[in-house]
Amino acid sequence: EVQLVESGGGLVQPGGSLRVSCAASGFTVGFNYMSWVRQAPGKGLEWVSVIYSGGNTYYADSVKGRFTISRDTSKNTLYLQMNSLRPEDTAVYYCARDGGGWEPHYYYGMDVWGQGTTVTVSS
Amino acid sequence: EIVLTQSPGTLSLSPGERATLSCRTSQSVSSSYLAWYQHKPGQAPRLLIYGASSRATGIPDRFSGSGSGTDFTLTISRLEPEDFAVYYCQLYGSSPPWTFGQGTKVEIK
């Protein structure tokens, strides 16, 4: 079964750090684009970061310089390291298999999503 | 950065009615890069449509997508009770960032 399972969310103080994980099964993380998307309380979906199959990484301006996306191919797991956390980073964080890169000039959407992990930044 | 504007913000309809959701982009985009998602509280988002008009695996045929240029539409032909949710359009690009619209809530009238 194709599946993503996030973990690692929790309560952290402003300025603190947290790493959330996303374990994949049924497909290979390293062969796909993988994205992180978040939803703050009462807000819509916000794309956060992507790692390409080739390893290139990209970030939303709101997290650039503070968050780092990475993967461990031996564990088939995606990570998001979040540093210098702010209250506005409070959100449910979802990982998703991203259908970019499967075919030139075509996008297959984010077709597999995890259940989300909640990050709360508060003193 | 291209901005996606969804309308209306909220759509109040009854089961069995037709829902028409709009997503407008701030500049012309390739329809190959436009996707739609359904999101219910406490659940993961669900891919409905990719390439503006292709249904994702397992999506009922009451969901359809159309459009080109700057105007895209998600249509639900006959609302089922399980279709009441928030719907987002999303734009991919040749380079990030990817962008989501602000969402349209389809609620029971």
Side-chain angles (χ1 to χ4, degrees):
Chain A
E1 181 187 6
V2 174
Q3 192 174 351
L4 292 167
V5 178
E6 295 108 335
S7 59
L11 174 64
V12 60
Q13 291 189 339
S17 297
L18 197 65
R19 189 181 78 163
V20 292
S21 303
C22 170
S25 57
F27 72 97
T28 302
V29 163
F31 290 168
N32 290 272
Y33 288 15
M34 296 294 297
S35 277
W36 286 97
V37 174
R38 68 185 180 183
Q39 183 179 38
K43 303 294 186 181
L45 299 177
E46 178 189 17
W47 175 81
V48 173
S49 181
V50 64
I51 183 167
Y52 284 4
S53 49
N56 288 356
T57 58
Y58 299 90
Y59 302 90
D61 286 345
S62 58
V63 307
K64 198 174 296 183
R66 301 187 298 122
F67 288 14
T68 302
I69 190 172
S70 63
R71 64 192 180 199
D72 184 332
T73 54
S74 68
K75 296 181 179 180
N76 208 28
T77 298
L78 179 74
Y79 301 99
L80 187 68
Q81 175 68 45
M82 300 180 287
N83 298 332
S84 302
L85 281 160
R86 306 166 179 168
E88 56 264 36
D89 296 317
T90 295
V92 176
Y93 285 75
Y94 298 98
C95 60
R97 185 172 74 175
D98 195 314
W102 292 350
E103 187 178 312
H105 311 299
Y106 199 82
Y107 184 57
Y108 287 88
M110 299 182 196
D111 68 331
V112 181
W113 293 71
Q115 83 287 355
T117 188
T118 301
V119 174
T120 303
V121 184
S122 175
S123 55
Chain B
E1 184 175 320
I2 299 174
V3 177
L4 277 63
T5 302
Q6 292 187 240
S7 61
T10 301
L11 201 50
S12 298
L13 295 168
S14 300
E17 291 193 293
R18 181 184 189 89
T20 303
L21 288 66
S22 171
C23 176
R24 289 188 171 173
T25 59
S26 58
Q27 56 186 273
S28 184
V29 301
S30 169
S31 59
S32 300
Y33 290 170
L34 200 286
W36 288 93
Y37 301 86
Q38 176 192 68
H39 194 200
K40 298 179 182 179
Q43 297 186 18
R46 178 191 183 195
L47 175 66
L48 299 174
I49 300 287
Y50 61 90
S53 60
S54 296
R55 271 188 300 276
T57 303
I59 301 303
D61 60 7
R62 64 180 181 272
F63 290 92
S64 64
S66 63
S68 63
T70 60
D71 290 331
F72 298 89
T73 300
L74 175 70
T75 301
I76 311 171
S77 59
R78 295 171 309 279
L79 283 164
E80 297 288 339
E82 62 269 27
D83 298 337
F84 292 91
V86 180
Y87 293 84
Y88 296 91
C89 56
Q90 181 232 340
L91 181 66
Y92 171 81
S94 55
S95 63
W98 314 157
T99 310
F100 286 92
Q102 83 278 18
T104 290
K105 182 180 182 179
V106 178
E107 66 176 21
I108 300 177
K109 185 175 181 180

